[in-house]
Amino acid sequence: MAEKIAVLGAGSWGSVLANMLTENGHDVTLWSRNEEQVKQLNTEHTNPRYMKDFVYSTKLTATTDMKKSVKGASVILIVIPTKGLREVAKKLNTILTELHQKPLIIHATKGLEQNTYKRPSEMLSEDISPENRQAIVVLSGPSHAEDVAIKDMTAVTAACEDLTSAKKAQKLFSNSYFRVYTNDDVIGAEFGAALKNIIAIGAGAIQGLGYHDNARAALITRGLAEIRRLGVAFGANPMTFIGLSGVGDLVVTATSKNSRNWRAGYQLGQGKKLQDVIDNMGMVIEGIYTTKAAYELSRKRQVQMPITEALYRVLYEGEDIKTAISQLMDRDLTSENE
């Protein structure tokens, strides 16, 4: 059955998901703060800053008025960078109170909050009152917007402790090229989604330095090990990390030029300064901020994350990236199955 859905966030992923939900037969309104972006989406059906050359459905409506987008919506999909998530959630909460609505909340945000180290679902549960929402579902997995836009086969996970809500999200998004599985491990799904961006920066960096497949495979595999260690320390199911929101998302993000985290790492490996990389990208590079949060969190929990620590030194202490790699390789020898 068709649902009225509000999508908050019109970047590459938010806009492509909004377009897909429209093509799935739902009544979708896409919210953005940017008036020019909204005008282009409504008149030219394009979003050139984020999705060059892609033409959106003429049935997709965009607006700068969040209340207008949300009014009557039974489902709200939030696709906002981590650092802006609370601001949007608080504004949404006020609107939902005014409208007396209680929609299902789905989010596709990947990161950890600075200083608090909270996951997106924790942030949303704090800033959207229980009386203004149903369950919170996490949509995560190996899914570049560019590939979904061209209807490349994609599989992701809808994670929620309430499997009925996860199954509803599954039905909303699934179609002939986009397959959704369910999972009840929200902690694992969100840690996998956030931490893989760190490893993707590292994977891009070693390729920018001229290393080859062996190095990349080693980095991805050992990166997964430390992602799992931190997630399990917070109660995640270790099996989640060999699933779509774990190894699946890690592989696609750490091997594809469509990944802005990989591209950022590649530029760093070629010798560019961090601020220049940030300026050139023009979009949020979640992995840079997640590296700091994960490094600090791992030290608080006494979890060994050597790759994350090495990248933290490069990004935040100015250490030479070649030195950081040498130190990783020169660490004390240990067992793979710790």
Side-chain angles (χ1 to χ4, degrees):
M1 292 181 63
E3 301 272 359
K4 187 176 189 314
I5 303 174
V7 179
L8 308 184
S12 54
W13 193 217
S15 64
V16 166
L17 285 175
N19 188 75
M20 188 183 75
L21 287 166
T22 301
E23 292 183 340
N24 281 2
H26 302 294
D27 177 8
V28 183
T29 303
L30 176 61
W31 171 82
S32 168
R33 292 188 181 93
N34 190 304
E35 290 185 6
E36 180 61 27
Q37 183 185 30
V38 166
K39 182 180 178 181
Q40 287 178 315
L41 282 162
N42 285 333
T43 59
E44 301 171 21
H45 312 294
T46 60
N47 191 12
R49 179 182 173 187
Y50 295 97
M51 292 296 297
K52 186 179 179 181
D53 300 327
F54 180 67
V55 179
Y56 292 76
S57 170
T58 57
K59 295 180 180 179
L60 175 62
T61 302
T63 181
T64 57
D65 186 340
M66 187 184 293
K67 187 173 183 179
K68 180 180 178 181
S69 70
V70 168
K71 188 174 183 179
S74 57
V75 178
I76 297 177
L77 171 63
I78 302 174
V79 196
I80 300 290
T82 309
K83 67 178 183 179
L85 189 59
R86 282 198 188 273
E87 179 188 351
V88 169
K90 289 174 182 176
K91 183 175 181 179
L92 174 61
N93 188 55
T94 300
I95 291 171
L96 292 174
T97 299
E98 294 173 359
L99 295 174
H100 302 290
Q101 287 178 213
K102 193 173 182 177
L104 175 66
I105 303 294
I106 305 172
H107 86 77
T109 296
K110 299 181 178 183
L112 297 174
E113 186 174 33
Q114 298 297 304
N115 302 317
T116 72
Y117 318 120
K118 290 185 176 179
R119 295 174 284 106
S121 65
E122 293 178 304
M123 299 161 66
L124 292 171
S125 66
E126 289 177 355
D127 291 326
I128 303 176
S129 303
E131 59 269 22
N132 290 337
R133 58 174 167 82
Q134 298 174 35
I136 297 173
V137 180
V138 182
L139 189 73
S140 183
S143 49
H144 286 311
E146 294 83 357
D147 291 345
V148 174
I150 61 172
K151 297 180 170 56
D152 194 22
M153 289 186 293
T154 302
V156 301
T157 291
C160 185
E161 292 178 3
D162 173 24
L163 281 177
T164 299
S165 296
K167 289 177 181 178
K168 180 173 182 177
Q170 181 181 47
K171 291 179 181 179
L172 290 172
F173 287 92
S174 293
N175 56 37
S176 61
Y177 62 91
F178 196 86
R179 183 174 175 84
V180 183
Y181 292 81
T182 60
N183 192 328
D184 63 358
D185 183 15
V186 174
I187 297 172
E190 289 188 308
F191 268 115
L195 301 181
K196 54 89 181 183
N197 286 328
I198 303 171
I199 308 306
I201 292 176
I206 61 172
Q207 195 157 346
L209 284 163
Y211 292 97
H212 299 291
D213 293 344
N214 289 1
R216 181 168 58 180
L219 183 85
I220 291 172
T221 306
R222 295 312 302 163
L224 180 62
E226 61 185 63
I227 290 171
R228 184 185 65 243
R229 277 198 297 270
L230 188 63
V232 169
F234 281 84
N237 182 343
M239 293 299 293
T240 298
F241 299 103
I242 61 170
L244 290 165
S245 60
V247 68
D249 206 1
L250 174 60
V251 168
V252 78
T253 310
T255 61
S256 173
K257 293 179 181 179
N258 283 335
S259 163
R260 68 190 71 164
N261 292 283
W262 184 94
R263 296 200 307 271
Y266 186 80
Q267 292 180 58
L268 290 171
Q270 291 189 313
K272 292 185 179 180
K273 294 182 178 180
L274 177 60
Q275 191 56 53
D276 292 336
V277 172
I278 293 171
D279 293 341
N280 291 339
M281 197 66 62
M283 292 183 280
V284 174
I285 309 168
E286 285 281 8
I288 291 174
Y289 309 103
T290 306
T291 297
K292 182 175 184 291
Y295 168 75
E296 294 171 351
L297 188 57
S298 68
R299 289 177 71 85
K300 285 180 177 291
R301 284 297 183 105
Q302 297 183 323
V303 174
Q304 294 295 314
M305 299 185 72
I307 298 171
T308 299
E309 183 177 343
L311 283 169
Y312 175 84
R313 295 197 306 269
V314 170
L315 296 173
Y316 290 94
E317 296 179 352
E319 182 171 286
D320 178 71
I321 196 162
K322 292 181 181 179
T323 301
I325 291 172
S326 295
Q327 291 176 351
L328 276 173
M329 294 300 291
D330 290 340
R331 290 179 303 118
D332 291 341
L333 300 176
T334 185
S335 169
E336 182 179 20
N337 298 317
E338 302 150 44

